[in-house]
Amino acid sequence: MTTGLGAVFRPQLPPERLREIARLADETGLEELWLWEDCFREGGISTAAAALAWTERVSVGVGLLPVPLRNVAVTAMEVASLHQMFPGRAIVGVGHGVQDWMGQVGARVESPVTLLREHLLALRALLRGERLTTDGRYVRLDDVALDWPPAHPAPPVLAGVTGPRSLRLAGEAADGTILTASTPPEGVRRARQLIDEGRESAGRTEPHKIVVYLLAATGPGAAARLRAELAAEGVASVPDLGVAGDAGAVAKAVQRLADAGADTVILQPTGDEPDPEAFVRFAAEEVRPLVP
């Protein structure tokens, strides 16, 4: 099975840069371009819709939408609209959100795991075209159904999570999982085990896609930029985390994650990447041919 490959448009870049980079991803044959809804930078659905409209074939991922900020019916409406307009090209993940940011906007909840569970179950049901009434701790819907649900089969909903309870929940209630760039190969193996525990508890047997971000740097000063970013994230001492070097080195790092259980690896440039367009071209034209 071929390992999927993509790249991130980091929200540290101004939104007006997205058009050029999205078109470049499309033209060079990159499979996936991922966007982040980071507070307080760029909206995930708005940027995804624009990127999809500007392109013809590249898949656009949103990893992730923080559920404390979003009523599940609104999330379902927006995701369904993307899939009606751009069938099969949108990939959407949801997650807890950064708790400090959620607190800043008055959206922090007492039990993020409970909220995520309720949101995932309701969102997936609405996207399947079901009419839903539910009275949960956080998610309450009264006879709600989408007028324009996506065509069958319903699009997958991924969960961006890290902790053991949330990884089990992803296996139980999501269709796939997004893992951060702070996840080394051994972490991917552990995540897959926890996800499978959740799948087994829920009696789920369908495939569960794992998407992993890989912090990558290339070109002049790559090693120094990578070290600085890992240090800033407080994970500089974690082995096999991130990669700096040419296409061969990056492809080997991608393969290590694939061998550990990743289905798709998304190359994440450092925050100070000097040439984001060249990074996308590097991923598509130099790394992709080396990844089986």
Side-chain angles (χ1 to χ4, degrees), residues 43-205:
I45 296 295
S46 57
T47 51
L52 288 161
W54 287 327
T55 57
E56 297 293 334
R57 45 147 303 279
V58 67
S59 294
V60 176
V62 182
L64 49 78
L65 302 174
V67 298
L69 288 179
R70 294 179 162 272
N71 182 285
V72 70
V74 174
T75 305
M77 290 160 57
E78 293 187 323
V79 173
S81 294
L82 290 181
H83 282 278
Q84 288 287 84
M85 294 186 290
F86 311 103
R89 291 178 56 211
I91 309 166
V92 176
V94 299
H96 301 302
V98 177
Q99 295 307 297
D100 287 346
W101 290 342
M102 299 303 100
Q104 281 183 268
V105 298
R108 190 167 185 166
V109 298
E110 185 177 357
S111 177
V113 174
T114 299
L115 170 57
L116 184 58
R117 180 189 305 277
E118 293 178 358
H119 194 105
L120 280 166
L121 293 174
L123 178 59
R124 291 176 59 239
L126 291 170
L127 293 175
R128 289 194 298 267
E130 297 178 16
R131 183 169 296 276
L132 190 61
T133 296
T134 184
D135 185 21
R137 182 173 176 181
Y138 299 109
V139 174
R140 299 180 182 89
L141 299 172
D142 182 10
D143 195 33
V144 174
L146 296 175
D147 283 1
W148 296 104
H152 184 78
V157 176
L158 281 60
V161 291
T162 56
R165 288 179 63 203
S166 296
L167 287 164
R168 291 189 183 96
L169 170 61
E172 173 190 338
D175 302 302
T177 301
I178 304 167
L179 302 177
T180 73
S182 297
T183 313
E186 187 52 42
V188 176
R189 291 187 183 89
R190 178 60 177 160
R192 176 68 81 175
Q193 178 183 351
L194 292 165
I195 290 163
D196 285 346
E197 289 175 8
R199 294 174 68 220
E200 184 178 358
S201 70
R204 301 187 65 182
T205 57

Side-chain angles (χ1 to χ4, degrees), residues 198-222:
R199 294 174 68 220
E200 184 178 358
S201 70
R204 301 187 65 182
T205 57
E206 67 273 32
H208 186 104
K209 180 178 180 178
I210 292 184
V211 177
V212 185
Y213 292 118
L214 171 64
L215 188 63
T218 191

Side-chain angles (χ1 to χ4, degrees), residues 31-44:
E31 294 147 58
E32 298 182 9
L33 180 68
W34 279 73
L35 313 169
W36 295 348
E37 185 164 87
D38 264 9
C39 296
F40 299 94
R41 293 187 170 113
E42 297 156 9

